[in-house]
Amino acid sequence: MQRTLVIAASAPVPRGNHVEIAQAADGTVIAVRDLDRGIQYEVRDTTREQLDIWRAVVRDCRVTETAREPRTVLVVGFSDAASAAEEALSEADAAAAAAKAESDRWGGADRQPAEAPERFW
């Protein structure tokens, strides 16, 4: 699921980076922390407010500089632990299947050893 956020600040975050979003109770974005680069963009002080903090992956970022104020539009996709674990397991299963197919192709350990010929003296 994707979500579009409009932030009243210049907060350029590269596509694919993981971010942590802090929102006020009214839905206003207070801060964006780029977890991959370790940079935090704060719109206003966050010490006294009740915040909702969640994580996502940046799908698109557009920064617009105007005469009044800079504006950033972030399109983010949610990154929850369950879907990340499911994706990792499916990739691991695919890698294991590919490795088995390759070992079967090259004659892996499942072949019976050839019998030694009888010796004549």
Side-chain angles (χ1 to χ4, degrees), residues 6-11 21-24 28-33 40-46 49 69-72 74:
V6 179
I7 304 164
S10 178
I21 309 293
Q23 281 186 310
T28 305
V29 176
I30 304 299
V32 176
R33 177 180 291 156
Q40 180 161 335
Y41 303 98
E42 285 191 16
V43 177
R44 63 180 193 238
D45 189 23
T46 61
E49 297 186 42
E69 64 181 15
R71 187 177 83 158
T72 302
L74 284 177

Side-chain angles (χ1 to χ4, degrees), residues 48-92:
R48 296 186 211 169
E49 297 186 42
Q50 183 74 355
L51 297 177
D52 182 26
I53 298 175
W54 48 276
R55 292 183 179 197
V57 177
V58 176
R59 302 286 184 228
D60 190 33
C61 178
R62 181 171 295 129
V63 178
T64 306
E65 297 287 338
T66 63
R68 293 186 327 175
E69 64 181 15
R71 187 177 83 158
T72 302
V73 178
L74 284 177
V75 178
V76 296
F78 292 106
S79 62
D80 59 338
S83 65
E86 184 177 324
E87 182 179 342
L89 285 175
S90 71
E91 289 176 5

